[in-house]
Amino acid sequence: MHVILAQPRGFCAGVVRAIEIVDRALERYGAPVYVRHEIVHNKAVVGGLRARGAVFVEALAEVPPQAVTIFSAHGVARAVEADARARDLRVLNATCPLVAKVHIQGRLYAAAGRVVILIGHAGHPEVEGTMGQIDGRVLLVQDEADVDALDLPAATPVAYITQTTLSVDDTRAVIAALQRRFPDLVGPDVRDICYATQNRQRAVRELCRQVDVLLVVGAANSSNSNRLREIGSESGIRSHLLADGSELDPAWVAGAATVGITAGASAPEAMVEHVIAALRALGPVEVSAMDGLEEHVEFKLPPELAGRAA
């Protein structure tokens, strides 16, 4: 079996920064440190940090007063920030800078008197945080049908923003639907969608031209990982999402001469290696990496944690 690895794949700069914030907080302040929501959507990452003393909670009511508290990479609503101040928590904000950029865009549009439309998935923590960061009216749409169902006059001044981990193609279609309905529409270019989302989707489309089966390493609750699997299926390739090699079903790769592997932005490379090991248990495997973009993006840490060895 020939295994081709997508390039790029796996961790993005926002995930690296978020994990390092928890790492350094544990080094500097000692255990426990509290993290609101999973720092990133990956059980292996969360489990490793939990073993070192990170405590993951869904509500700040679970955090003792004055405790070191980290907001996840997905971002939080202003009400959560206010609650943290009221409880006198020592907050370290691991919100991805690209998510924070969306918050700023949305606030600027709302301040200009526009109804803000957020393109995203209902219930996703990033969506909940973004909607709670913007004063004024924010409406959530997931697809073109939602756009058609909006109860707004056509002349309404409207602006759109997007969840960072969405499909570029799906977002483009929803934006086109908004343009058809609302003549007074402004918003960022689709190029402002997270660079890592775009790069990994582009790489998967290229990879699918070369393989019989696609394996996407990532968590079931990871939006960007699920979208990579969907892109594979839309390309006509048998595509499967798995957290690690223990979830590999031999039937998925039976008879496949070439298998492609990619990983979502919150999946560590160790999980990719685990999947390769599971494939090797089925028979001889030759591994190569496709030519692709090398990412060199880095985001600064909070000043309280800067300057210490990771």
Side-chain angles (χ1 to χ4, degrees), residues 2 8 31 59 61 89 99 106 110 113 120 128 144 167 169 181 185 220 222 233 238 283 308:
H2 183 197
L89 302 179
V99 174
E128 293 177 349
E144 296 168 79
S167 155
D169 286 343
R181 274 211 59 185
L185 175 73
S222 166
S233 295
R238 288 179 289 154
R308 293 176 59 84

Side-chain angles (χ1 to χ4, degrees), residues 43-100:
K43 289 183 179 179
V45 171
V46 169
L49 294 171
R50 183 180 286 117
R52 294 183 53 210
V55 179
F56 294 88
V57 301
E58 289 301 318
L60 294 186
E62 303 173 57
V63 181
Q66 301 184 330
V68 175
T69 306
I70 300 170
F71 294 154
S72 79
H74 310 97
V76 299
R78 283 177 164 176
V80 175
E81 296 173 340
D83 188 17
R85 288 192 296 271
R87 296 178 59 80
D88 197 24
L89 302 179
R90 301 171 67 181
V91 171
L92 297 169
N93 194 344
T95 300
C96 174
L98 297 180
V99 174

